[in-house]
Coordinates of all heavy atoms in Angstrom, one line a residue:
A43 N 32.5 -82.7 -114.1 CA 32.6 -84.1 -113.6 C 32.6 -85.1 -114.7 O 33.3 -86.1 -114.6 CB 31.5 -84.3 -112.6
G44 N 31.7 -84.9 -115.7 CA 31.7 -85.8 -116.8 C 33.0 -85.8 -117.6 O 33.5 -86.9 -118.0
E45 N 33.7 -84.7 -117.7 CA 35.0 -84.6 -118.4 C 36.0 -85.3 -117.6 O 36.9 -86.0 -118.2 CB 35.4 -83.1 -118.6 CG 34.6 -82.3 -119.6 CD 35.0 -80.9 -119.7 OE1 36.3 -80.7 -120.0 OE2 34.2 -80.0 -119.6
I46 N 35.9 -85.2 -116.3 CA 36.9 -85.9 -115.4 C 36.7 -87.4 -115.6 O 37.7 -88.2 -115.7 CB 36.7 -85.5 -113.9 CG1 37.2 -84.1 -113.7 CG2 37.4 -86.5 -113.0 CD1 36.8 -83.5 -112.4
D47 N 35.4 -87.9 -115.6 CA 35.1 -89.3 -115.8 C 35.6 -89.8 -117.1 O 36.2 -90.9 -117.2 CB 33.6 -89.5 -115.6 CG 33.1 -89.4 -114.2 OD1 34.0 -89.4 -113.3 OD2 31.9 -89.3 -114.0
D48 N 35.5 -89.0 -118.1 CA 35.9 -89.4 -119.5 C 37.4 -89.6 -119.5 O 38.0 -90.5 -120.1 CB 35.5 -88.4 -120.5 CG 34.0 -88.4 -120.8 OD1 33.3 -89.4 -120.4 OD2 33.4 -87.4 -121.3
A49 N 38.2 -88.6 -118.9 CA 39.6 -88.7 -118.9 C 40.1 -89.9 -118.1 O 41.0 -90.6 -118.5 CB 40.2 -87.4 -118.4
D50 N 39.4 -90.1 -117.0 CA 39.8 -91.3 -116.2 C 39.5 -92.6 -116.9 O 40.3 -93.5 -116.9 CB 39.0 -91.2 -114.9 CG 39.3 -92.4 -114.0 OD1 40.5 -92.7 -113.7 OD2 38.3 -93.1 -113.5
A51 N 38.4 -92.6 -117.6 CA 38.0 -93.8 -118.4 C 39.0 -94.2 -119.5 O 39.3 -95.3 -119.7 CB 36.6 -93.7 -119.0
I52 N 39.5 -93.1 -120.1 CA 40.5 -93.3 -121.2 C 41.7 -94.0 -120.6 O 42.3 -94.9 -121.1 CB 40.9 -92.0 -121.8 CG1 39.7 -91.5 -122.7 CG2 42.2 -92.1 -122.7 CD1 39.9 -90.1 -123.3
Q53 N 42.2 -93.5 -119.4 CA 43.3 -94.1 -118.8 C 43.1 -95.5 -118.5 O 43.9 -96.4 -118.8 CB 43.6 -93.3 -117.4 CG 44.2 -92.0 -117.5 CD 44.4 -91.4 -116.2 OE1 43.6 -91.3 -115.3 NE2 45.7 -91.0 -115.9
R54 N 42.0 -95.8 -117.8 CA 41.7 -97.2 -117.3 C 41.5 -98.1 -118.5 O 41.9 -99.3 -118.5 CB 40.6 -97.2 -116.4 CG 40.9 -96.5 -115.0 CD 39.8 -96.6 -114.0 NE 38.5 -96.1 -114.6 CZ 37.5 -96.8 -115.0 NH1 37.6 -98.1 -115.0 NH2 36.4 -96.3 -115.5
K55 N 40.7 -97.7 -119.5 CA 40.4 -98.5 -120.6 C 41.6 -98.9 -121.4 O 41.8 -100.1 -121.8 CB 39.4 -97.8 -121.6 CG 38.0 -97.7 -121.1 CD 37.3 -99.0 -121.1 CE 35.8 -98.8 -120.7 NZ 35.2 -100.1 -120.6
L56 N 42.5 -98.0 -121.7 CA 43.7 -98.3 -122.4 C 44.6 -99.3 -121.7 O 45.1 -100.3 -122.2 CB 44.5 -97.1 -122.7 CG 43.9 -96.2 -123.8 CD1 44.7 -94.9 -124.0 CD2 43.7 -96.9 -125.1
I57 N 44.7 -99.1 -120.4 CA 45.5 -100.0 -119.5 C 44.9 -101.4 -119.5 O 45.6 -102.4 -119.7 CB 45.7 -99.5 -118.1 CG1 46.5 -98.2 -118.1 CG2 46.3 -100.5 -117.2 CD1 46.5 -97.4 -116.8
K58 N 43.6 -101.4 -119.3 CA 42.9 -102.7 -119.2 C 42.8 -103.4 -120.5 O 43.1 -104.6 -120.5 CB 41.4 -102.4 -118.7 CG 40.7 -103.6 -118.3 CD 39.5 -103.3 -117.3 CE 38.6 -102.2 -117.9 NZ 37.6 -101.9 -116.9
S59 N 42.5 -102.7 -121.6 CA 42.4 -103.4 -122.9 C 43.8 -104.0 -123.3 O 43.9 -105.1 -123.8 CB 41.9 -102.5 -124.0 OG 42.8 -101.4 -124.1
Y60 N 44.9 -103.2 -123.0 CA 46.2 -103.6 -123.4 C 46.6 -104.8 -122.5 O 47.1 -105.8 -123.1 CB 47.2 -102.5 -123.1 CG 48.7 -103.0 -123.1 CD1 49.3 -103.4 -124.3 CD2 49.4 -103.0 -121.9 CE1 50.6 -103.9 -124.3 CE2 50.7 -103.5 -121.9 CZ 51.3 -103.9 -123.1 OH 52.6 -104.4 -123.1
T61 N 46.3 -104.8 -121.2 CA 46.6 -105.9 -120.3 C 45.9 -107.2 -120.8 O 46.5 -108.3 -120.8 CB 46.3 -105.5 -118.9 OG1 47.0 -104.4 -118.5 CG2 46.6 -106.7 -117.9
L62 N 44.6 -107.0 -121.1 CA 43.8 -108.2 -121.5 C 44.3 -108.8 -122.8 O 44.4 -110.0 -123.0 CB 42.4 -107.8 -121.6 CG 41.4 -108.9 -121.9 CD1 41.3 -109.9 -120.8 CD2 40.0 -108.4 -122.2
D63 N 44.6 -107.9 -123.8 CA 45.1 -108.4 -125.1 C 46.5 -109.1 -124.9 O 46.7 -110.2 -125.5 CB 45.3 -107.2 -126.0 CG 45.7 -107.6 -127.4 OD1 45.1 -108.6 -127.9 OD2 46.5 -106.8 -128.0
K64 N 47.3 -108.5 -124.0 CA 48.6 -109.2 -123.8 C 48.5 -110.5 -123.1 O 49.1 -111.5 -123.5 CB 49.5 -108.2 -122.9 CG 50.9 -108.7 -122.6 CD 51.6 -107.7 -121.7 CE 53.0 -108.2 -121.3 NZ 53.6 -107.2 -120.4
K65 N 47.6 -110.6 -122.2 CA 47.3 -111.9 -121.5 C 46.8 -112.9 -122.5 O 47.2 -114.1 -122.4 CB 46.3 -111.6 -120.4 CG 45.9 -112.9 -119.6 CD 44.8 -112.6 -118.6 CE 44.3 -113.8 -117.8 NZ 43.2 -113.5 -116.9
N66 N 45.8 -112.6 -123.3 CA 45.3 -113.5 -124.3 C 46.3 -114.0 -125.2 O 46.4 -115.2 -125.6 CB 44.1 -112.9 -125.0 CG 42.9 -112.7 -124.2 OD1 42.7 -113.4 -123.1 ND2 42.0 -111.8 -124.5
K67 N 47.2 -113.1 -125.7 CA 48.2 -113.5 -126.7 C 49.3 -114.4 -126.0 O 49.8 -115.3 -126.7 CB 48.8 -112.3 -127.3 CG 47.9 -111.6 -128.4 CD 48.5 -110.4 -129.0 CE 47.7 -110.0 -130.3 NZ 46.4 -109.6 -130.0
K68 N 49.5 -114.1 -124.8 CA 50.5 -114.9 -124.0 C 50.0 -116.4 -123.8 O 50.7 -117.3 -124.0 CB 50.8 -114.3 -122.7 CG 52.0 -114.9 -121.9 CD 52.3 -114.2 -120.7 CE 53.6 -114.6 -120.0 NZ 53.8 -113.9 -118.7
Q69 N 48.7 -116.5 -123.6 CA 48.1 -117.8 -123.4 C 48.1 -118.6 -124.7 O 48.4 -119.8 -124.7 CB 46.6 -117.6 -122.9 CG 46.5 -117.2 -121.5 CD 45.0 -117.0 -121.1 OE1 44.2 -116.7 -121.9 NE2 44.8 -117.0 -119.8
K70 N 47.8 -117.9 -125.8 CA 47.8 -118.6 -127.1 C 49.2 -119.1 -127.4 O 49.4 -120.2 -127.9 CB 47.3 -117.7 -128.2 CG 45.8 -117.5 -128.1 CD 45.3 -116.5 -129.2 CE 43.8 -116.3 -129.0 NZ 43.3 -115.4 -130.1
Q71 N 50.2 -118.2 -127.2 CA 51.6 -118.6 -127.4 C 52.0 -119.8 -126.6 O 52.6 -120.7 -127.0 CB 52.5 -117.4 -127.1 CG 54.0 -117.8 -127.2 CD 54.9 -116.6 -126.8 OE1 55.4 -115.9 -127.6 NE2 55.1 -116.5 -125.5
A72 N 51.6 -119.8 -125.3 CA 52.0 -120.8 -124.4 C 51.4 -122.2 -124.8 O 52.1 -123.2 -124.7 CB 51.5 -120.4 -123.0
V73 N 50.1 -122.2 -125.1 CA 49.5 -123.5 -125.5 C 50.1 -124.1 -126.7 O 50.4 -125.3 -126.8 CB 48.0 -123.3 -125.7 CG1 47.3 -124.5 -126.3 CG2 47.3 -122.9 -124.4
K74 N 50.4 -123.3 -127.7 CA 50.9 -123.8 -129.0 C 52.4 -124.2 -128.8 O 52.9 -125.2 -129.3 CB 50.8 -122.7 -130.1 CG 49.4 -122.4 -130.5 CD 49.3 -121.3 -131.5 CE 47.9 -121.0 -131.9 NZ 47.1 -122.1 -132.3
A75 N 53.2 -123.4 -128.0 CA 54.6 -123.7 -127.7 C 54.7 -125.0 -126.9 O 55.6 -125.8 -127.2 CB 55.2 -122.6 -127.0
K76 N 53.8 -125.2 -126.0 CA 53.9 -126.4 -125.1 C 53.6 -127.7 -126.0 O 54.3 -128.7 -125.8 CB 53.0 -126.3 -124.0 CG 53.1 -127.5 -123.0 CD 54.5 -127.7 -122.4 CE 54.6 -128.9 -121.6 NZ 56.0 -129.1 -121.1
A77 N 52.7 -127.6 -126.9 CA 52.3 -128.7 -127.7 C 53.5 -129.1 -128.6 O 53.8 -130.3 -128.8 CB 51.1 -128.4 -128.6
V78 N 54.2 -128.1 -129.2 CA 55.4 -128.4 -130.0 C 56.5 -128.9 -129.1 O 57.3 -129.9 -129.5 CB 55.8 -127.1 -130.8 CG1 57.1 -127.4 -131.5 CG2 54.7 -126.7 -131.8
A79 N 56.7 -128.4 -127.9 CA 57.8 -128.8 -127.1 C 57.7 -130.3 -126.7 O 58.7 -131.0 -126.6 CB 57.8 -127.9 -125.8
R80 N 56.5 -130.7 -126.5 CA 56.3 -132.2 -126.2 C 56.8 -133.1 -127.3 O 57.4 -134.1 -127.1 CB 54.8 -132.5 -125.9 CG 54.3 -131.8 -124.6 CD 52.9 -132.4 -124.3 NE 52.3 -131.8 -123.1 CZ 51.4 -130.8 -123.1 NH1 51.0 -130.4 -124.3 NH2 51.0 -130.3 -122.0
K81 N 56.5 -132.7 -128.5 CA 56.9 -133.5 -129.7 C 58.4 -133.4 -129.9 O 59.1 -134.4 -130.2 CB 56.2 -133.0 -130.9 CG 54.7 -133.2 -130.8 CD 54.0 -132.6 -132.1 CE 52.5 -132.8 -131.9 NZ 51.7 -132.3 -133.1
V82 N 59.0 -132.2 -129.7 CA 60.5 -132.1 -129.8 C 61.2 -132.9 -128.7 O 62.2 -133.5 -128.9 CB 60.9 -130.6 -129.8 CG1 62.4 -130.5 -129.8 CG2 60.3 -129.8 -130.9
S83 N 60.6 -132.9 -127.5 CA 61.1 -133.6 -126.4 C 61.1 -135.1 -126.7 O 62.1 -135.8 -126.4 CB 60.3 -133.3 -125.1 OG 60.8 -133.9 -124.0
A84 N 60.1 -135.6 -127.3 CA 60.0 -137.0 -127.6 C 61.1 -137.4 -128.6 O 61.7 -138.4 -128.5 CB 58.6 -137.4 -128.1
F85 N 61.2 -136.5 -129.6 CA 62.3 -136.7 -130.6 C 63.7 -136.7 -130.0 O 64.5 -137.6 -130.3 CB 62.2 -135.6 -131.7 CG 63.4 -135.4 -132.5 CD1 63.9 -136.3 -133.4 CD2 64.2 -134.3 -132.3 CE1 65.0 -136.2 -134.2 CE2 65.4 -134.1 -133.0 CZ 65.8 -135.0 -133.9
A86 N 63.9 -135.8 -129.1 CA 65.2 -135.7 -128.5 C 65.5 -136.9 -127.6 O 66.6 -137.4 -127.6 CB 65.3 -134.4 -127.6
F87 N 64.5 -137.4 -126.9 CA 64.7 -138.5 -126.0 C 65.0 -139.8 -126.8 O 66.0 -140.5 -126.5 CB 63.4 -138.8 -125.2 CG 63.5 -139.9 -124.3 CD1 64.1 -139.8 -123.0 CD2 63.0 -141.2 -124.6 CE1 64.2 -140.9 -122.1 CE2 63.1 -142.3 -123.7 CZ 63.7 -142.1 -122.5
D88 N 64.2 -140.0 -127.9 CA 64.5 -141.2 -128.8 C 65.8 -141.1 -129.5 O 66.4 -142.1 -129.8 CB 63.3 -141.3 -129.8 CG 62.0 -141.6 -129.2 OD1 62.0 -142.0 -128.1 OD2 61.0 -141.3 -129.9
S89 N 66.3 -139.9 -129.7 CA 67.5 -139.7 -130.5 C 68.7 -139.6 -129.5 O 69.9 -139.5 -130.0 CB 67.5 -138.5 -131.4 OG 66.3 -138.5 -132.2
G90 N 68.5 -139.6 -128.2 CA 69.6 -139.5 -127.3 C 70.3 -138.1 -127.2 O 71.4 -138.0 -126.8
L91 N 69.5 -137.1 -127.6 CA 70.0 -135.7 -127.6 C 69.7 -135.1 -126.3 O 68.7 -134.4 -126.1 CB 69.4 -134.9 -128.8 CG 69.6 -135.5 -130.2 CD1 68.8 -134.7 -131.2 CD2 71.1 -135.5 -130.5
T92 N 70.6 -135.4 -125.3 CA 70.3 -135.0 -123.9 C 70.1 -133.5 -123.8 O 69.2 -133.0 -123.1 CB 71.5 -135.4 -123.0 OG1 71.6 -136.8 -123.2 CG2 71.1 -135.1 -121.6
N93 N 71.0 -132.7 -124.4 CA 70.9 -131.2 -124.2 C 69.6 -130.7 -124.8 O 68.9 -129.8 -124.2 CB 72.1 -130.6 -124.9 CG 73.4 -130.8 -124.2 OD1 73.4 -131.1 -123.0 ND2 74.5 -130.6 -124.9
L94 N 69.2 -131.2 -125.9 CA 67.9 -130.8 -126.5 C 66.8 -131.2 -125.7 O 65.8 -130.4 -125.5 CB 67.8 -131.4 -127.9 CG 66.5 -131.0 -128.7 CD1 66.4 -129.5 -128.8 CD2 66.4 -131.7 -130.1
F95 N 66.8 -132.4 -125.2 CA 65.7 -132.9 -124.3 C 65.6 -132.0 -123.1 O 64.5 -131.6 -122.7 CB 66.0 -134.3 -123.8 CG 65.0 -134.9 -122.9 CD1 63.8 -135.4 -123.4 CD2 65.2 -134.9 -121.5 CE1 62.8 -135.9 -122.5 CE2 64.3 -135.4 -120.7 CZ 63.1 -135.9 -121.2
D96 N 66.7 -131.7 -122.4 CA 66.7 -130.8 -121.3 C 66.2 -129.4 -121.6 O 65.4 -128.9 -120.8 CB 68.1 -130.7 -120.7 CG 68.6 -132.0 -120.0 OD1 67.8 -132.9 -119.7 OD2 69.8 -132.1 -119.8
S97 N 66.5 -128.9 -122.8 CA 66.1 -127.6 -123.1 C 64.6 -127.5 -123.4 O 64.0 -126.4 -123.4 CB 66.8 -127.0 -124.3 OG 66.5 -127.8 -125.5
M98 N 63.9 -128.7 -123.6 CA 62.5 -128.7 -123.9 C 61.7 -128.9 -122.7 O 60.4 -129.0 -122.8 CB 62.2 -129.8 -124.9 CG 62.7 -129.5 -126.3 SD 61.9 -128.1 -127.1 CE 63.3 -126.9 -126.9
Q99 N 62.3 -129.0 -121.5 CA 61.6 -129.2 -120.3 C 61.1 -127.9 -119.7 O 61.4 -127.4 -118.7 CB 62.4 -130.0 -119.2 CG 63.0 -131.3 -119.7 CD 61.9 -132.2 -120.4 OE1 60.9 -132.5 -119.8 NE2 62.1 -132.5 -121.7
I100 N 60.2 -127.3 -120.6 CA 59.7 -126.0 -120.2 C 58.2 -126.2 -119.9 O 57.4 -126.6 -120.8 CB 59.8 -125.0 -121.4 CG1 61.3 -124.8 -121.8 CG2 59.1 -123.7 -121.1 CD1 61.5 -124.0 -123.1
S101 N 57.8 -126.0 -118.7 CA 56.4 -126.2 -118.3 C 55.5 -125.2 -118.8 O 55.9 -124.1 -119.2 CB 56.4 -126.2 -116.7 OG 56.6 -125.0 -116.2
L102 N 54.2 -125.6 -118.8 CA 53.2 -124.6 -119.3 C 53.1 -123.4 -118.3 O 52.9 -122.3 -118.7 CB 51.8 -125.3 -119.3 CG 50.7 -124.5 -119.9 CD1 50.9 -124.0 -121.3 CD2 49.3 -125.3 -119.8
S103 N 53.4 -123.7 -117.0 CA 53.4 -122.6 -116.1 C 54.5 -121.6 -116.4 O 54.3 -120.3 -116.3 CB 53.7 -123.1 -114.6 OG 52.6 -123.9 -114.2
K104 N 55.7 -122.0 -116.8 CA 56.7 -121.1 -117.2 C 56.3 -120.2 -118.4 O 56.6 -119.0 -118.4 CB 58.0 -121.9 -117.5 CG 58.8 -122.3 -116.3 CD 60.2 -122.9 -116.8 CE 61.0 -123.2 -115.6 NZ 62.3 -123.8 -116.0
L105 N 55.7 -120.9 -119.3 CA 55.2 -120.1 -120.5 C 54.1 -119.1 -120.2 O 54.0 -118.1 -120.8 CB 54.7 -121.1 -121.6 CG 55.8 -121.9 -122.3 CD1 55.2 -123.2 -122.9 CD2 56.6 -121.1 -123.3
L106 N 53.3 -119.5 -119.2 CA 52.2 -118.6 -118.8 C 52.6 -117.5 -117.8 O 52.1 -116.4 -118.0 CB 51.0 -119.4 -118.2 CG 50.2 -120.3 -119.2 CD1 49.3 -121.2 -118.5 CD2 49.4 -119.4 -120.2
Y107 N 53.4 -117.8 -116.9 CA 53.6 -116.9 -115.7 C 55.0 -116.3 -115.6 O 55.2 -115.5 -114.7 CB 53.2 -117.6 -114.4 CG 51.8 -118.2 -114.5 CD1 51.6 -119.6 -114.3 CD2 50.7 -117.4 -114.6 CE1 50.3 -120.1 -114.4 CE2 49.5 -117.9 -114.7 CZ 49.3 -119.2 -114.5 OH 48.0 -119.7 -114.6
S108 N 55.9 -116.7 -116.5 CA 57.2 -116.0 -116.5 C 57.0 -114.5 -117.0 O 56.0 -114.2 -117.6 CB 58.2 -116.7 -117.4 OG 58.4 -118.0 -116.9
G109 N 58.0 -113.7 -116.8 CA 58.0 -112.4 -117.3 C 57.8 -112.4 -118.8 O 58.1 -113.4 -119.5
S110 N 57.5 -111.2 -119.4 CA 57.2 -111.1 -120.8 C 58.3 -111.6 -121.7 O 58.2 -112.4 -122.6 CB 56.9 -109.6 -121.2 OG 55.7 -109.2 -120.5
K111 N 59.5 -111.1 -121.4 CA 60.7 -111.4 -122.2 C 61.1 -112.9 -122.1 O 61.4 -113.6 -123.1 CB 61.9 -110.5 -121.9 CG 61.8 -109.1 -122.3 CD 61.8 -109.0 -123.8 CE 61.7 -107.5 -124.3 NZ 61.7 -107.4 -125.8
A112 N 61.0 -113.4 -120.8 CA 61.3 -114.8 -120.6 C 60.3 -115.7 -121.3 O 60.7 -116.7 -122.0 CB 61.3 -115.1 -119.1
A113 N 59.0 -115.4 -121.3 CA 58.0 -116.2 -122.0 C 58.3 -116.2 -123.5 O 58.1 -117.3 -124.1 CB 56.6 -115.7 -121.6
E114 N 58.6 -115.1 -124.0 CA 58.9 -115.0 -125.4 C 60.1 -115.8 -125.8 O 60.1 -116.5 -126.8 CB 59.1 -113.5 -125.8 CG 59.4 -113.3 -127.3 CD 60.2 -112.0 -127.5 OE1 60.8 -111.4 -126.6 OE2 60.1 -111.5 -128.7
T115 N 61.1 -115.7 -124.9 CA 62.4 -116.5 -125.2 C 62.1 -118.0 -125.2 O 62.6 -118.8 -126.0 CB 63.5 -116.2 -124.1 OG1 63.7 -114.7 -124.2 CG2 64.7 -116.9 -124.4
Y116 N 61.3 -118.5 -124.2 CA 61.0 -119.9 -124.1 C 60.3 -120.3 -125.4 O 60.6 -121.4 -126.0 CB 60.0 -120.2 -122.9 CG 60.7 -120.1 -121.6 CD1 60.1 -119.5 -120.5 CD2 62.0 -120.7 -121.4 CE1 60.7 -119.4 -119.3 CE2 62.6 -120.6 -120.1 CZ 61.9 -120.0 -119.1 OH 62.5 -119.9 -117.8
A117 N 59.3 -119.5 -125.9 CA 58.6 -119.9 -127.1 C 59.5 -119.9 -128.3 O 59.4 -120.8 -129.2 CB 57.4 -118.9 -127.3
R118 N 60.4 -118.9 -128.4 CA 61.4 -118.9 -129.5 C 62.3 -120.1 -129.5 O 62.6 -120.6 -130.5 CB 62.2 -117.6 -129.4 CG 63.1 -117.3 -130.6 CD 63.9 -116.0 -130.3 NE 63.0 -114.9 -130.3 CZ 62.6 -114.2 -131.3 NH1 62.9 -114.7 -132.6 NH2 61.8 -113.2 -131.2
T119 N 62.7 -120.5 -128.3 CA 63.6 -121.7 -128.2 C 62.9 -122.9 -128.7 O 63.5 -123.7 -129.4 CB 64.0 -121.9 -126.7 OG1 64.8 -120.7 -126.2 CG2 64.9 -123.1 -126.5
I120 N 61.7 -123.1 -128.3 CA 60.9 -124.2 -128.8 C 60.7 -124.2 -130.3 O 60.9 -125.2 -131.0 CB 59.5 -124.3 -128.1 CG1 59.7 -124.6 -126.6 CG2 58.6 -125.4 -128.7 CD1 58.5 -124.3 -125.7
Y121 N 60.4 -123.1 -130.8 CA 60.2 -122.9 -132.3 C 61.4 -123.2 -133.0 O 61.4 -124.0 -134.0 CB 59.6 -121.5 -132.6 CG 59.6 -121.3 -134.1 CD1 58.5 -121.7 -134.8 CD2 60.6 -120.7 -134.8 CE1 58.4 -121.5 -136.2 CE2 60.5 -120.5 -136.2 CZ 59.4 -120.9 -136.9 OH 59.4 -120.7 -138.2
D122 N 62.5 -122.6 -132.6 CA 63.8 -122.8 -133.3 C 64.2 -124.3 -133.3 O 64.8 -124.8 -134.3 CB 64.9 -122.0 -132.6 CG 64.7 -120.5 -132.9 OD1 63.9 -120.1 -133.8 OD2 65.4 -119.7 -132.2
A123 N 64.0 -125.0 -132.2 CA 64.4 -126.4 -132.1 C 63.6 -127.2 -133.0 O 64.1 -128.1 -133.7 CB 64.2 -126.9 -130.6

Side-chain angles (χ1 to χ4, degrees):
E45 290 181 53
I46 290 171
D47 287 345
D48 289 343
D50 179 51
I52 288 172
Q53 286 182 306
R54 294 183 302 103
K55 286 288 186 185
L56 288 179
I57 294 170
K58 190 158 54 181
S59 63
Y60 165 69
T61 301
L62 184 65
D63 188 37
K64 183 178 175 183
K65 178 182 176 182
N66 289 339
K67 285 182 168 61
K68 191 176 190 181
Q69 287 177 337
K70 289 179 180 178
Q71 173 186 263
V73 171
K74 294 180 185 301
K76 185 58 185 176
V78 173
R80 290 193 182 100
K81 297 176 181 180
V82 177
S83 182
F85 159 71
F87 181 82
D88 292 343
S89 304
L91 302 173
T92 306
N93 290 339
L94 178 59
F95 178 81
D96 290 342
S97 69
M98 289 298 103
Q99 303 314 298
I100 301 170
S101 66
L102 185 60
S103 293
K104 278 187 176 181
L105 288 161
L106 285 171
Y107 304 119
S108 296
S110 299
K111 289 294 184 182
E114 180 201 21
T115 300
Y116 287 138
R118 186 181 298 276
T119 298
I120 293 167
Y121 174 83
D122 289 346

